[in-house]
Amino acid sequence: KESGVDDFLAEATPETKLRLIREEQNQGKLVAMIGDGTNDAPALAQADVGIAMNAGTQAAREAGNMIDLDSNPTKVMEVVEIGKQLLMTRGALTTFSIANDVAKYFAIIPALFIVEYPELQRLNVMHLATPQSAILSAVIFNALIIIALIPLALRGVRYRPVGAAAILTRNLFIYGFGGVIIPFIGIKAIDIMIAALHLA
């Protein structure tokens, strides 16, 4: 009670542990299991995330998805936070990438088809100098933005213990809205430089 555990199962057999994990999974829950003994192996294998202690048996280490090299079960909260950070980072990068691609279509589509379909000039909302300049600007911008995203991918989006709706709203605004605005600014700036240097 003092530690905040509202339910527990003492002296469980391997079959009981396995049954309990399956019951939780049947309710649509993701289940993590920490174990170190041979009797934990079936439950470790069944769990969505099986964490075996490095000091545990070979059977437990083979059944788990992850091995805690320090054999410290209190690190589970750290594992959960890192997992959330990885999911948030992947979601942020995917959101930015999709929004970024949508914005680049306003440069590339008019440039590719303007000769056959002059009415596509209306999509040239950035007023890029020439079709060649538009495509070159988009390619250069794409190369630069990939390099610029490497630190974010390596560092990750910082995890904050707030609700999923707040995280989603924040990430959609920063990476979705930002993913649309940044290409417009970047491609236009590159186009101005290309036109000034007479490269296309």
Side-chain angles (χ1 to χ4, degrees):
K1 186 175 179 181
E2 286 177 13
S3 65
V5 176
D6 57 3
D7 193 12
F8 67 93
L9 185 65
E11 297 180 10
T13 63
E15 295 79 18
T16 308
K17 293 176 189 177
L18 190 60
R19 190 185 74 246
L20 181 62
I21 287 174
R22 285 182 177 152
E23 285 172 3
E24 295 294 323
Q25 287 173 328
N26 288 338
Q27 295 173 28
K29 296 178 184 176
L30 292 175
V31 180
M33 166 73 186
I34 304 171
D36 64 353
T38 303
N39 64 342
D40 293 323
L44 286 167
Q46 177 65 39
D48 298 294
V49 179
I51 304 171
M53 299 294 109
N54 193 38
T57 63
Q58 182 68 26
R61 289 196 306 270
E62 288 177 5
N65 308 96
M66 304 167 71
I67 297 175
D68 181 356
L69 297 177
D70 296 334
S71 298
N72 180 1
T74 61
K75 290 172 74 178
V76 171
M77 295 313 294
E78 218 175 295
V79 170
V80 170
E81 285 186 11
I82 290 169
K84 286 180 178 180
Q85 183 180 20
L86 288 171
L87 281 172
M88 285 168 47
T89 301
R90 186 179 70 181
L93 290 172
T94 302
T95 302
F96 184 87
S97 179
I98 291 169
N100 187 29
D101 287 344
V102 168
K104 282 186 287 191
Y105 291 141
F106 284 94
I108 294 170
I109 290 176
L112 289 175
F113 302 108
I114 200 156
V115 174
E116 294 177 31
Y117 304 102
E119 57 272 11
L120 285 177
Q121 180 61 28
R122 281 180 273 177
L123 289 179
N124 185 8
V125 294
M126 290 182 265
H127 304 291
L128 303 174
T130 65
Q132 294 83 359
S133 169
I135 291 173
L136 186 57
S137 298
V139 169
I140 291 170
F141 174 81
N142 205 47
L144 294 174
I145 202 69
I146 289 170
I147 294 167
L149 288 174
I150 290 172
L152 174 65
L154 293 175
R155 188 185 71 243
V157 175
R158 203 173 99 210
Y159 169 72
R160 293 178 187 163
V162 295
I167 290 171
L168 179 63
T169 303
R170 177 181 172 272
N171 284 355
L172 281 175
F173 179 75
I174 293 172
Y175 301 104
F177 184 66
V180 170
I181 297 301
I182 290 171
F184 277 95
I185 296 168
I187 291 170
K188 181 61 180 176
I190 294 167
D191 179 70
I192 290 168
M193 285 189 281
I194 289 171
L197 297 169
H198 306 291
L199 296 175

